[in-house]
Amino acid sequence: MSGTLYGLGVGPGDPELVTLKALRVLRALPVVAYPAPPEGTSFARSVVASQLSPAQAEIAIRVPMTRAVAPAQAVYDRAALDIGRHLEAGRDVGVLCQGDPFFYGSFIQLFERLATRYPTQVVPGVSSLTACAAAAGVPLVTRDEILTVLPATLAEAALEKRLKQAEAAAILKLGRHLAKVRRILKRLGLADRATYIEHASLASQKIQPLAGADPASAPYFSMILVRRGKVAR
Ligand SMILES: C[S@@+](CC[C@H](N)C(=O)[O-])C[C@H]1O[C@@H](n2cnc3c(N)ncnc32)[C@H](O)[C@@H]1O
């Protein structure tokens, strides 16, 4: 019988925000995989590092930092083969995912390659969306408001079109796109309703009105929350 593939959400960074279920599954796994930069440590692994045992085999999926699609697809193809071999041999494999696996998670790449062939379970995690809202004290949406989730990587015109219509929005994947997003929000008269959050739930967490955020130093793990009806605090 083949092993089971698990997508394990490990939350936004604070180890206390890992769910009991994710921990239980993680501790029983013979094989643990995780996305990692071309060199250096995996953020998802660092969140649960204290829970890993030397008896567990580890697979670091080293994803290139490029906008080109093909190199990353080749890495996920190879990772799916590696993971598939363990599953064929009857070993369960857990893929650690920052936040929630199905919310912009790289686990989706493996899910699409493996879930039709192997038993698969997804353990949800606390997503950055709710972690940022909680950290900033900014409610996301209430009553019949609509929340629009946007990657800052979209072209300026596309972002502006969506933000123009949005009642409340979360803008992810900010990093080097901060200046572009701030320009748009200023044009739409929304800049003073926007809150900038980086590294939510970590010791390095920073929260400030968008006006004060520095485009030169915004890290990848940052987002903007904006709500038309209410001024963010
Ligand atoms: C590829 S998405 C992954 C989202 C993740 N699966 C989740 O559920 O939150 C990465 C983006 O999530 C946001 N993000 C993730 N963790 C964050 C954190 N601790 N603080 C602020 N933003 C975060 C950032 O906008 C980052 O660019």
Side-chain angles (χ1 to χ4, degrees), residues 196-200 204-208 217-219 221-223:
Y196 167 86
I197 305 118
E198 74 181 45
H199 292 167
S204 51
Q205 170 178 294
K206 203 192 267 183
I207 297 161
Q208 57 192 142
S217 64
F221 285 125
S222 62
M223 101 166 50

Side-chain angles (χ1 to χ4, degrees), residues 61-196:
I61 305 167
R62 299 216 169 260
V63 186
M65 299 287 179
T66 161
R67 292 277 296 149
V69 175
Q73 292 302 308
V75 167
Y76 290 121
D77 285 345
R78 258 197 320 277
L81 283 177
D82 286 352
I83 291 170
R85 274 193 283 273
H86 284 290
L87 295 170
E88 288 293 339
R91 289 186 286 277
D92 293 345
V93 180
V95 181
L96 306 179
C97 311
Q98 196 262 342
D100 182 272
F102 274 176
F103 184 64
Y104 290 113
S106 54
F107 172 71
I108 296 167
Q109 297 291 332
L110 298 166
F111 179 85
E112 287 174 350
R113 286 165 172 78
L114 295 166
T116 54
R117 285 185 283 143
Y118 302 101
T120 301
Q121 287 185 33
V122 176
V123 179
V126 174
S127 82
S128 55
L129 197 54
T130 48
C132 284
V138 175
L140 286 173
V141 265
T142 184
R143 296 173 178 273
D144 54 0
E145 286 178 356
I146 296 166
L147 176 66
T148 302
V149 177
L150 295 165
T153 46
L154 293 181
E156 188 155 346
L159 265 177
E160 183 154 356
K161 187 174 161 210
R162 302 277 181 169
L163 283 166
K164 206 172 186 169
Q165 294 163 352
E167 282 177 295
I171 306 155
L172 283 80
K173 303 188 181 187
L174 202 56
R176 63 194 172 82
H177 300 282
L178 173 60
K180 172 179 73 181
V181 176
R182 186 156 57 189
R183 243 185 348 257
I184 297 169
L185 291 171
K186 269 191 187 157
R187 279 201 296 271
L188 296 176
L190 291 171
D192 61 348
R193 293 172 185 272
T195 305
Y196 167 86

